[in-house]
Amino acid sequence: MGFPSYNIESIFTIQSLSLILKILILCFLLIGVLSLILEKNSYIIFPLLASAWEVTLGAMTIFNSLSGGFSLSSLTGGLTVTVLGFIACLSLLLLNRHNPRAEASLYYKLFGSESAEYAVELVDLVKKYFIGEIVVPAINGVNLKVKRGEFISIMGPSGCGKSTLLNLIGALDRPTSGKVLIDGVDISTLNPKSLARLRNEKIGFVFQAYNLINRSTVYRNIELPMLVRGVSKNERRRRVMELLEIVGLSDKMYRRPRMLSGGEQQRVAIARAIVNNPSIILADEPTGNLDSKAGRNIIQFMKRLNREFGTTIIIVTHDREVAEMTDRIVYLKDGRIVGEKINEGNVEK
Ligand SMILES: Nc1ncnc2c1ncn2[C@@H]1O[C@H](COP(=O)(O)OP(=O)(O)OP(=O)(O)O)[C@@H](O)[C@H]1O
Ligand SMILES: [Mg+2]
């Protein structure tokens, strides 16, 4: 009598199955390491599954060793696998938390965030400029919290530090001391690549001096942030045409910015700032060169973005009428916040 052949086959099947599983777990973990290096949040699910599987395997081994014949080696083996799997799960989630698109990460989807309430948080912010021996204290200890979906305005006399403050929030400049947190992430901890992505995808900046590219057409200027992000040609065209319509410049899309009026250039700058659907818009005097009707239209449009998409907006303005249209006015003087006013009528309950 020989061995029944099915036994050998089943042993072979189990062995190859477990080998396949091990290879799969290894691949998943490798994808995890790659996803962390490349900062691709969506792939984090693979190593998480692998770690969760490790935990399950470990738990099963512990259960077997306790319920069947007790074996110290399989008990310690099971415990080790469980603990390692658990640590892997936890560290993956925590690492996943620190990136500029934190709110899109699995960590926030699973646990939410204590700091997610604030889109922008400034802690003891100080900025000094050094011109040779002279020190210019532009921002002198600002603490400010801006809720997600809030629309605030900053007012103050010329030279009080408004543009400097926006530049610090938008990661265009580094503070001398203190912290800037965007969606709970301290931006000083981000590497250059994450910072660049934060500026391109999460923040839309409207500069006081527009900063348009004069060699390129209006169309190209608005399209540029999407090119950087790698959006398809058709989608880029659709979006640029939509925004040109909104800012009322469809008939001037092939002009160069210098052939436009100040107000028109300002509208191009606004279209460019919002083309990537940023979650935060920082605008330095977005209505400074517009007549009051055009100015009001732009602010109305921003309000719509704010209400419909929950976009957080911070604008600097000298125009009281514009400021009154926002949820809150923050007053700045000599680089310090000296007061604020909440416009109850505008704040949604
Ligand atoms: N690059 C720089 N080097 C040195 N000092 C600077 C620099 N940029 C700004 N400052 C100084 O810092 C202070 C704040 O400047 P900031 O541009 O933030 O003012 P502001 O409130 O935006 O003024 P405005 O309403 O005129 O635009 C000013 O005293 C200014 O002279
Ligand atoms: Mg300024």
Side-chain angles (χ1 to χ4, degrees):
M1 267 220 245
F3 280 112
S5 62
Y6 66 83
N7 256 354
I8 294 168
E9 270 172 18
S10 66
I11 289 168
F12 177 72
T13 321
I14 287 169
Q15 273 180 348
S16 49
L17 240 174
S18 92
L19 187 70
I20 290 171
L21 264 177
K22 277 178 190 158
I23 293 174
L24 214 64
I25 289 179
L26 204 67
C27 287
F28 276 20
L29 287 174
L30 275 176
I31 294 175
V33 173
L34 273 178
S35 79
L36 285 175
I37 294 172
L38 301 174
E39 293 171 359
K40 299 269 186 221
N41 285 321
S42 38
Y43 299 149
I44 206 85
I45 194 76
F46 291 103
L48 262 179
L49 279 176
S51 316
W53 176 241
E54 291 266 312
V55 174
T56 319
L57 271 184
M60 273 162 63
T61 320
I62 294 172
F63 181 75
N64 274 343
S65 74
L66 289 181
S67 60
F70 178 79
S71 140
L72 189 65
S73 67
S74 64
L75 181 65
T76 47
L79 269 174
T80 318
V81 171
T82 312
V83 171
L84 282 181
F86 202 70
I87 292 174
C89 268
L90 216 64
S91 24
L92 280 167
L93 278 174
L94 288 176
L95 282 169
N96 182 228
R97 184 183 171 192
H98 286 289
N99 63 67
R101 305 197 59 137
E103 84 286 356
S105 76
L106 203 65
Y107 180 89
Y108 283 104
K109 282 189 184 134
L110 288 175
F111 305 114
S113 157
E114 70 281 63
S115 52
E117 190 187 347
Y118 298 109
V120 176
E121 210 177 328
L122 309 177
V123 186
D124 299 328
L125 203 63
V126 172
K127 175 71 187 177
K128 293 186 173 85
Y129 289 110
F130 297 93
I131 315 173
E133 298 280 284
I134 307 165
V135 181
V136 184
I139 297 293
N140 299 308
V142 164
N143 288 289
L144 179 69
K145 286 177 177 174
V146 184
K147 283 199 194 120
R148 275 165 183 265
E150 206 181 353
F151 187 176
I152 77 160
S153 50
I154 299 174
M155 294 193 86
S158 179
C160 72
K162 304 180 296 293
S163 298
T164 307
L165 197 65
L166 277 201
N167 287 344
L168 292 173
I169 298 173
L172 297 171
D173 211 347
R174 280 178 180 279
T176 310
S177 65
K179 272 192 218 166
V180 176
L181 285 89
I182 301 289
D183 285 328
V185 177
D186 180 352
I187 59 174
S188 68
T189 63
L190 298 176
N191 61 29
K193 200 177 139 215
S194 306
L195 259 185
R197 213 160 75 187
L198 175 97
R199 288 192 213 105
N200 178 251
E201 295 178 19
K202 192 168 220 169
I203 297 177
F205 214 112
V206 183
F207 296 91
Q208 195 167 13
Y210 319 134
N211 291 10
L212 297 173
I213 300 164
N214 265 315
R215 281 177 286 113
S216 304
T217 60
V218 165
Y219 184 98
R220 197 75 174 158
N221 265 281
I222 300 176
E223 185 189 30
L224 193 68
M226 290 190 289
L227 268 173
V228 174
R229 216 180 98 203
V231 177
S232 75
K233 194 168 179 215
N234 284 343
E235 176 57 18
R236 290 200 310 264
R237 184 157 187 87
R238 192 194 65 73
R239 187 83 180 122
V240 174
M241 298 312 268
E242 182 186 40
L243 283 169
L244 280 167
E245 183 76 36
I246 290 170
V247 296
L249 288 173
S250 303
D251 55 335
K252 294 183 176 137
M253 64 173 140
Y254 296 120
R255 288 216 200 158
R256 317 245 161 213
R258 66 171 177 276
M259 290 168 182
L260 298 175
S261 74
E264 286 167 341
Q265 290 184 47
Q266 197 146 38
R267 283 183 271 157
V268 177
I270 290 169
R272 184 187 55 182
I274 59 182
V275 78
N276 273 343
N277 283 329
S279 57
I280 302 170
I281 294 175
L282 305 172
D284 204 345
E285 302 228 28
T287 61
N289 277 303
L290 304 178
D291 59 58
S292 70
K293 183 167 170 275
R296 240 175 310 150
N297 281 346
I298 289 291
I299 298 299
Q300 289 292 5
F301 173 66
M302 285 188 165
K303 271 188 97 132
R304 226 178 69 211
L305 286 179
N306 171 252
R307 297 288 182 253
E308 286 174 21
F309 302 105
T311 313
T312 309
I313 306 182
I314 305 179
I315 59 166
V316 164
T317 183
H318 279 119
D319 188 334
R320 178 150 299 279
E321 201 185 324
V322 164
E324 290 296 339
M325 290 166 80
T326 65
D327 301 339
R328 176 161 59 123
I329 310 174
V330 173
Y331 298 98
L332 205 66
K333 198 177 169 214
D334 299 330
R336 287 192 182 85
I337 292 179
V338 289
E340 65 172 39
K341 176 177 174 248
I342 293 171
N343 294 324
E344 293 288 354
N346 298 336
V347 182
E348 284 204 337
K349 297 278 160 354

